[in-house]
C-alpha cells in the first residue's frame, strides 16, 4: 500500500488514540513521520509500537509553545527534507461546566491548545511545505465546531474557531498549493468521550449518558479511531487533490437531524 509513498507527514497529539492510529495508517501507506507530543515517555512508547526505523522520528512540544512548534518543523525539514502533510491533531476537552461556572483559566486552557495550537501549526508548516511545492493540512475540529452543547462551552468555542481558521487558511494558502481541511468527528470510542461522559455524569450515571448520546446517532454506535484515521488518510493523499476549505463530518449521522 503506497498512497503516501515518498510523503513526509507531521502528526501533533500523536500519542492520543486518533493520533497513534493515524500514525500507523500513514506509515503503512509509505509516509515518513514526525510525531509530536508533550510527553517524551509516551512518544518513546509509540515509536516502539510503530517500529518504523528511520522513517519515524519524534519531537517533544506543547501545542501552544511557538518556539517549540517552530523547532519541530525545523527538525522535520532537517530529518526528511521538507513536509507534505500536517495533521494538527493535538486537543483537549477541558472541563465540562456551564459557561457561568467556567473560570478564565479553564476557558483559556482549552483555547490555548485547541485554537492557538492549531494556528501555530498552520503558521509554521507553510515554509516547510513550500520546500516541497505544496501539501495538505488537516486540522482536528469536531461536531462541536458546528453545533452547541450545554456544559461544553469552551470546547465548542474552540472547535468553531478551528473551522474558521481552516476556511481562512484554505483561501490564504491556495497560492502556495497547500490544501487545508478539517475533520469533525462525533463521539469516538476513546479516552476523550469517556472523560466527557464521566465529567458530565460521574460514576454510574455515565452509562445513562452514554445511551443518551447513542440515541442521537443515526448509525447507533460510536465511531472508531480507525475510521477517523481513514478520513485523515484520504485528506492527506492526492485522492483529495480538489478538496480544500472543507469541514468533514464523521459522526454517524449525529448532525443529520
Amino acid at each position: 500500500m503506497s498512497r503516501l509513498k515518498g510523503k513526509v507527514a507531521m502528526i501533533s497529539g500523536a500519542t492520543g488514540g486518533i493520533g497513534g492510529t493515524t500514525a500507523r495508517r500513514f506509515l503503512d501507506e509509505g509516509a515518513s513521520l514526525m510525531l509530536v507530543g508533550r510527553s517524551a515517555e509516551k512518544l518513546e512508547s509509540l515509536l516502539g509500537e510503530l517500529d518504523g526505523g528511520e522513517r519515524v522520528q519524534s519531537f517533544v512540544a506543547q501545542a501552544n509553545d511557538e518556539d517549540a512548534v517552530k523547532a519541530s518543523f525545523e527538525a522535520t525539514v532537517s530529518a526528511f527534507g521538507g513536509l507534505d502533510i500536517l495533521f494538527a491533531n493535538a486537543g483537549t476537552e477541558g472541563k465540562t461546566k456551564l459557561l457561568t461556572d467556567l473560570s478564565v483559566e479553564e476557558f483559556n486552557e482549552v483555547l490555548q491548545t485547541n485554537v492557538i495550537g492549531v494556528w501555530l501549526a498552520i503558521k509554521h508548516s507553510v515554509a516547510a511545505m513550500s520546500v516541497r511545492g505544496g501539501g495538505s493540512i488537516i486540522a482536528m475540529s469536531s461536531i462541536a465546531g458546528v453545533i452547541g452543547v450545554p456544559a461544553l462551552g469552551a470546547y465548542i468555542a474552540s472547535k468553531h474557531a478551528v473551522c474558521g481558521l481552516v476556511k481562512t487558511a484554505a483561501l490564504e494558502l491556495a497560492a502556495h498549493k497547500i490544501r487545508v481541511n478539517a475533520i469533525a468527528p462525533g463521539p469516538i470510542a476513546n479516552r476523550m468521550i469517556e472523560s466527557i461522559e464521566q465529567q458530565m455524569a460521574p460514576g454510574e450515571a455515565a452509562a445513562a449518558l452514554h445511551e443518551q448520546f447513542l440515541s442521537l446517532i443515526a448509525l447507533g454506535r460510536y465511531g472508531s479511531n480507525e475510521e477517523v484515521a481513514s478520513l485523515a488518510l484520504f485528506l492527506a493523499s492526492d485522492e483529495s487533490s480538489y478538496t480544500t476549505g472543507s469541514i468533514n463530518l464523521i459522526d454517524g449521522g449525529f448532525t443529520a437531524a
Side-chain angles (χ1 to χ4, degrees):
M1 301 175 74
S2 57
R3 293 159 76 184
L4 302 181
K5 185 177 181 180
K7 303 284 190 180
V8 177
M10 174 187 284
I11 301 175
S12 68
T15 60
I18 290 173
T21 302
T22 302
R24 167 55 66 191
R25 288 296 301 277
F26 283 11
L27 184 65
D28 289 346
E29 292 288 348
S32 296
L33 302 178
M34 178 63 77
L35 307 177
V36 180
R38 60 186 180 182
S39 168
E41 182 179 355
K42 289 182 179 180
L43 283 169
E44 192 64 31
S45 176
L46 180 58
L47 286 173
E49 292 172 14
L50 293 174
D51 191 25
E54 294 182 356
R55 286 173 53 207
V56 186
Q57 296 196 26
S58 66
F59 197 95
V60 178
Q62 290 277 359
N64 65 339
D65 181 338
E66 183 164 20
D67 288 341
V69 170
K70 182 181 180 187
S72 71
F73 285 100
E74 291 171 346
T76 302
V77 173
S78 176
F80 301 118
L83 180 70
D84 303 289
I85 300 155
L86 165 65
F87 186 19
N89 172 63
T92 180
E93 68 276 17
K95 302 296 184 182
T96 61
K97 294 182 178 181
L98 298 177
L99 291 172
T100 50
D101 295 330
L102 280 166
S103 68
V104 170
E105 291 75 18
E106 290 168 336
F107 201 102
N108 190 52
E109 179 183 358
V110 176
L111 297 186
Q112 284 292 317
T113 299
N114 295 359
V115 183
I116 301 301
V118 169
W119 163 60
L120 288 175
I122 292 172
K123 174 182 178 179
H124 291 288
S125 70
V126 176
M129 285 190 177
S130 295
V131 174
R132 309 278 277 195
S136 173
I137 296 173
I138 307 157
M140 181 58 78
S141 184
S142 165
I143 59 169
V146 298
I147 63 173
V149 179
L152 283 175
Y155 185 70
I156 294 285
S158 73
K159 294 304 185 179
H160 273 70
V162 168
C163 292
L165 281 172
V166 161
K167 290 178 180 292
T168 300
L171 297 175
E172 292 185 358
L173 300 182
H176 297 273
K177 297 183 180 179
I178 296 173
R179 298 181 294 107
V180 190
N181 296 285
I183 293 177
I188 303 299
N190 59 26
R191 182 211 62 81
M192 183 174 286
I193 192 63
E194 291 176 1
S195 170
I196 290 172
E197 289 174 350
Q198 285 292 335
Q199 287 191 71
M200 295 180 75
E204 296 181 0
L209 181 61
H210 179 83
E211 291 302 317
Q212 183 179 347
F213 281 157
L214 286 178
S215 72
L216 299 173
I217 302 172
L219 294 183
R221 65 174 177 84
Y222 283 6
S224 68
N225 294 328
E226 289 76 14
E227 287 169 316
V228 178
S230 292
L231 179 53
L233 175 60
F234 168 71
L235 293 172
S237 75
D238 292 337
E239 295 167 17
S240 60
S241 58
Y242 197 54
T243 303
T244 195
S246 68
I247 311 302
N248 297 271
L249 291 161
I250 177 167
D251 65 357
F254 193 111
T255 58

